[in-house]
Amino acid sequence: MHKFNLVENAKDSLSHAIEHLGPVNQNSTGDWKRIIVDLAHVVELLVKELLRRIHPAFVFNNIDKYPSNEAFTVGADLAFTRLQKIGDISFSDADIKAVKSAREKRNEIEHFEL
């Protein structure tokens, strides 16, 4: 079995998204679906990596459950909040809006329709 850390996992998803890129007018709906899902995944993983570098427990929604493979990891909203408050990292409103938009589109794809 292969094991990816957060950065390797993000790189793999980015590579997969790039494989589906082509001339815009030639991409299928399926290509766009993979690109959106993969890029949203890349952003989420890299944000979690920033938290992990501060302390691995911050990757978990409930830090008291660290370390556990069964505990849920943070969503993007909580991750951004923690990075701003604990990591002293600033994000522009445009950055947060772009990530939120990508997450919303990914959720439509994964849980409803595209």
Side-chain angles (χ1 to χ4, degrees), residues 1 7 11 20 47 53 59 63 65 71 79 88 95 105:
M1 183 164 132
V7 173
K11 282 178 163 179
H20 287 272
V47 168
R53 289 179 181 192
V59 174
I63 61 173
K65 292 189 177 182
D88 197 31
D95 292 338
K105 189 54 69 181

Side-chain angles (χ1 to χ4, degrees), residues 42-52 76 79-80 83:
V42 168
V43 171
E44 189 169 321
L45 290 170
L46 293 177
V47 168
K48 288 177 183 180
E49 174 62 15
L50 289 172
L51 283 174
R52 188 199 64 75
F80 275 100
L83 286 171

Side-chain angles (χ1 to χ4, degrees), residues 72-88:
F72 291 107
T73 58
V74 295
D77 289 336
L78 181 55
F80 275 100
T81 299
R82 284 186 182 169
L83 286 171
Q84 290 174 3
K85 289 184 176 183
I86 299 167
D88 197 31

